[in-house]
């Protein structure tokens, strides 16, 4: 029987290419490969010269440095890059060079290393971006991807010049983790974020969205098959997120950081966003989006995109009107 979710992937891939990005696998180091969707204008296909012998008959790829301001879209835990950001890519590619990574153990990205920390994800992502010729960017991070983006900004301030963060926090302390899971009625992060049943997936979608969506059980089953691969490694990523309350320190970020939040986020509630804004200081700004939950960029993409583009334009000194 055809998996309905998997059957949509070729269409989504085609739409992304029409929007101006295409996939490219980057060898980070032996045993580690990260997949990126990169701007089509940064990839020049070169056919073998006439009479030239080549083992591979496919065209070779030559990557060029981005020609526009770079935006890096970092996905959350439930889906890979272009699934997470499918409504944002086309809105940005006209004015920005957009890069969408698949973090390790998502999409086609893999590693044989045992480190599962957000720091390792950030370091790997930065190595990939540098190999793609990116030397400055604005990072846009959602949920788990926001924590990775914060690490990028902390460790590589010369690369990450600004950030937009939605539904995320600086670090997942054990007290925040316990309080969040308790309020949602889950025993562990894996139970919430790595559902194994239709019932579990419905529970995840229920707490992640403002509007309660209905899909047939068949579609839920197909989604489970496609979107939750590498379960063991992803469970280890969740374990690698948790730090002790005794350990957290608030980095002094030099970058502008814009918090763009669904006001009805039940996973990382509005109060956490306000607390984080105070912790980050004067470089941080906040905007809430009404009638949106954790998946704010998917639930209200038009409003989200407008607010995102306003912030990005402000970095270039351009005023954008609604």
């Amino acid at each position: 029987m055809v998996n309905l979710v998997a059957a949509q992937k070729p269409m989504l891939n085609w739409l992304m290419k029409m929007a101006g990005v295409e996939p490219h696998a980057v060898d980070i180091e032996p045993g580690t490969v990260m997949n990126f969707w990169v701007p089509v204008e940064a990839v020049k296909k070169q056919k073998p010269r006439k009479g030239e012998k080549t083992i591979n008959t496919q065209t070779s790829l030559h990557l060029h440095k981005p020609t526009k301001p770079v935006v890096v879209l970092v996905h959350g835990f439930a889906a890979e890059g272009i699934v997470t950001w499918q409504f944002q890519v086309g809105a940005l590619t006209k004015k920005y060079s957009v890069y969408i990574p698949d973090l390790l153990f998502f999409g086609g990205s893999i590693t044989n290393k045992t480190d599962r920390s957000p720091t390792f994800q950030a370091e790997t992502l930065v190595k990939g971006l540098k190999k793609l010729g990116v030397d400055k960017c604005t990072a846009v991070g959602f949920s788990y991807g926001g924590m990775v983006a914060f690490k990028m900004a902390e460790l590589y301030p010369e690369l990450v010049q600004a950030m937009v963060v939605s539904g995320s926090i600086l670090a997942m302390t054990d007290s925040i983790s316990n309080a969040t899971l308790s309020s949602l009625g889950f025993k562990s992060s894996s139970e919430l974020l790595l559902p194994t049943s239709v019932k579990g997936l419905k529970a995840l979608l229920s707490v992640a969205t403002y509007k309660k969506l209905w899909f047939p059980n068949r579609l839920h089953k197909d989604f489970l098959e496609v979107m939750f691969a590498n379960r063991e490694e992803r469970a280890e990523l969740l374990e690698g997120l948790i730090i002790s309350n005794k350990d957290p320190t608030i980095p002094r970020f030099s970058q502008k950081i814009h918090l763009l939040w669904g006001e009805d986020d039940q996973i990382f509630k509005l109060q956490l966003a306000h607390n984080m804004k105070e912790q980050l200081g004067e470089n941080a700004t906040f905007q809430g989006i009404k009638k949106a939950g954790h998946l704010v960029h998917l639930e209200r993409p038009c409003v989200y995109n407008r607010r995102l583009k306003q912030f990005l334009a402000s970095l270039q000194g351009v005023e954008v009107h609604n």
Side-chain angles (χ1 to χ4, degrees):
M1 187 178 292
V2 174
N3 184 300
L4 296 177
V5 176
Q8 300 302 312
K9 280 200 167 185
M11 175 62 74
L12 181 58
N13 290 355
W14 179 80
L15 288 172
M16 291 299 102
K17 290 179 180 180
M18 292 296 293
V21 295
E22 61 181 63
H24 181 71
V26 178
D27 291 317
I28 307 298
E29 56 188 64
T32 301
V33 177
M34 182 167 276
N35 183 65
F36 287 81
W37 286 76
V38 303
V40 292
E41 67 268 16
V43 181
K44 181 179 179 181
K45 296 180 174 67
Q46 180 175 328
K47 294 182 180 180
R49 292 188 293 271
K50 187 176 181 180
E52 181 181 6
K53 291 184 178 180
T54 177
I55 297 175
N56 189 344
T57 57
Q58 295 181 345
T59 58
S60 59
L61 298 180
H62 294 264
L63 297 174
H64 297 273
K65 291 177 71 69
T67 57
K68 294 175 282 190
V70 173
V71 176
V72 180
L73 303 175
V74 192
H75 65 80
F77 206 83
E80 61 198 52
I82 60 169
V83 176
T84 299
W85 300 109
Q86 57 188 285
F87 297 128
Q88 281 66 55
V89 176
L92 296 174
T93 49
K94 182 178 180 179
K95 293 185 177 180
Y96 302 96
S97 293
V98 179
Y99 291 76
I100 311 105
D102 289 328
L103 297 174
L104 296 171
F105 304 114
F106 295 85
S109 300
I110 58 170
T111 185
N112 58 8
K113 303 295 188 294
T114 57
D115 193 338
R116 300 290 184 260
S117 67
T119 297
F120 181 64
Q121 286 275 24
E123 290 171 344
T124 305
L125 174 49
V126 168
K127 289 177 183 177
L129 288 172
K130 289 183 176 179
K131 289 198 172 191
L132 292 168
V134 174
D135 51 25
K136 295 179 182 178
C137 72
T138 296
V140 182
F142 163 66
S143 197
Y144 175 67
M147 298 181 212
V148 174
F150 271 126
K151 279 296 177 185
M152 288 173 61
E154 177 187 353
L155 299 173
Y156 304 95
E158 75 287 350
L159 172 70
V160 181
Q161 299 199 310
M163 290 179 64
V164 179
V165 175
S166 300
S168 187
I169 52 179
L170 285 161
M172 181 67 83
T173 63
D174 43 20
S175 62
I176 291 177
S177 176
N178 292 337
T180 299
L181 292 170
S182 176
S183 68
L184 296 174
F186 291 86
K187 296 178 181 178
S188 69
S189 296
S190 290
E191 182 185 2
L192 171 63
L193 295 171
L194 290 172
T196 58
S197 66
V198 169
K199 181 180 178 181
L201 179 55
K202 287 181 177 180
L204 171 59
L205 292 175
S206 177
V207 300
T209 56
Y210 170 73
K211 292 182 179 179
K212 305 314 172 191
L213 307 174
W214 181 88
F215 297 106
N217 284 348
R218 162 76 187 282
L219 205 58
H220 285 96
K221 290 178 181 177
D222 289 352
F223 190 86
L224 282 170
E225 288 181 10
V226 172
M227 301 311 301
F228 294 99
N230 300 317
R231 287 179 176 272
E232 180 179 347
E233 291 85 357
R234 292 192 193 182
E236 292 169 354
L237 291 176
L238 289 174
E239 292 176 6
L241 277 178
I242 309 299
I243 64 173
S244 169
N245 286 341
K246 299 176 182 178
D247 296 336
T249 56
I250 307 301
R252 295 183 63 86
F253 291 100
S254 59
Q255 302 93 333
K256 288 186 177 180
I257 300 174
H258 190 53
L259 307 177
L260 189 52
W261 229 262
E263 292 190 0
D264 292 281
D265 193 328
Q266 295 303 303
I267 296 178
F268 292 121
K269 296 187 177 182
L270 208 56
Q271 189 58 48
L272 281 174
H274 288 304
N275 292 345
M276 185 164 58
K277 180 182 180 298
E278 294 303 313
Q279 292 174 330
L280 291 171
E282 61 184 13
N283 283 341
T285 52
F286 170 86
Q287 281 184 308
I289 296 178
K290 297 181 182 298
K291 298 182 180 179
H294 191 62
L295 297 174
V296 55
H297 56 292
L298 294 174
E299 286 195 280
R300 304 208 60 194
C302 293
V303 179
Y304 185 93
N305 292 350
R306 186 165 62 248
R307 303 277 176 84
L308 173 60
K309 288 193 288 185
Q310 285 172 344
F311 177 75
L312 293 173
S314 73
L315 301 174
Q316 309 299 320
V318 177
E319 186 177 353
V320 175
H321 299 282
N322 291 343

